[in-house]
Amino acid sequence: MEGQQQLNKSRVVKVDSLDSWDLFISQASNQGCPVFVHFSASWCVPSLSMNCYFEELAQTYQDVLFLLVDVDEVKEVASKMEVKAMPTFVLMRDGEVIDRMVGANPEETKRRVDAYVQPLRSESIV
């Protein structure tokens, strides 16, 4: 029930361990669900400034799993994904990186998600 309440408040899921990362990515792959990840840090002002926008994207794109990874809290995931700067945004499908963007640019972030999700929506209609 507690997890359900979190979903009502936010569509962005915070990754708190390498195990939870592996679980989220595995489940999304099994369901054919794209994943959009925001690699952030509590000390990085540009990363923090993108949090509200990332949440807006999560509300808009309900068929995408949105994950938030604090690189200081889950260093193993940041290292595994070769994150070198914050914020870094990674779009994934079937466990593979499709696109990567570094920097706080809301318009570009939306454009890239949109460019990826629109063809998927067309496929599901056909």
Side-chain angles (χ1 to χ4, degrees), residues 21 25 33-37 39 81 90-99 116:
W21 167 264
I25 298 303
C33 177
V35 180
F36 196 43
V37 189
F39 288 94
M81 296 302 294
V90 177
L91 189 57
M92 301 175 72
R93 174 101 189 222
D94 299 325
E96 300 295 319
V97 174
I98 304 297
D99 197 4
Y116 182 71

Side-chain angles (χ1 to χ4, degrees), residues 23-126:
L23 179 66
F24 289 132
I25 298 303
S26 174
Q27 286 178 338
S29 293
N30 290 341
Q31 296 171 4
C33 177
V35 180
F36 196 43
V37 189
H38 176 192
F39 288 94
S40 182
S42 60
W43 48 263
C44 178
V45 175
S47 284
L48 297 176
S49 72
M50 289 294 288
N51 284 344
C52 287
Y53 190 73
F54 196 65
E55 180 64 46
E56 285 178 31
L57 288 174
Q59 295 297 333
T60 301
Y61 299 97
Q62 301 272 325
D63 46 354
V64 176
L65 174 61
F66 284 78
L67 299 178
L68 176 65
V69 178
D70 184 308
V71 298
D72 293 323
E73 293 176 12
V74 197
K75 291 181 171 119
E76 303 91 352
V77 174
S79 176
K80 180 179 184 174
M81 296 302 294
E82 300 178 0
V83 174
K84 309 262 188 268
M86 275 64 68
T88 294
F89 297 92
V90 177
L91 189 57
M92 301 175 72
R93 174 101 189 222
D94 299 325
E96 300 295 319
V97 174
I98 304 297
D99 197 4
R100 177 184 297 260
M101 186 182 101
V102 178
N105 184 333
E107 295 80 18
E108 181 64 14
T109 305
K110 182 180 185 330
R111 188 188 68 74
R112 291 198 190 189
V113 173
D114 215 31
Y116 182 71
V117 171
Q118 289 304 330
L120 291 177
R121 287 182 175 163
S122 298
E123 287 174 16
S124 66
I125 293 170
V126 174

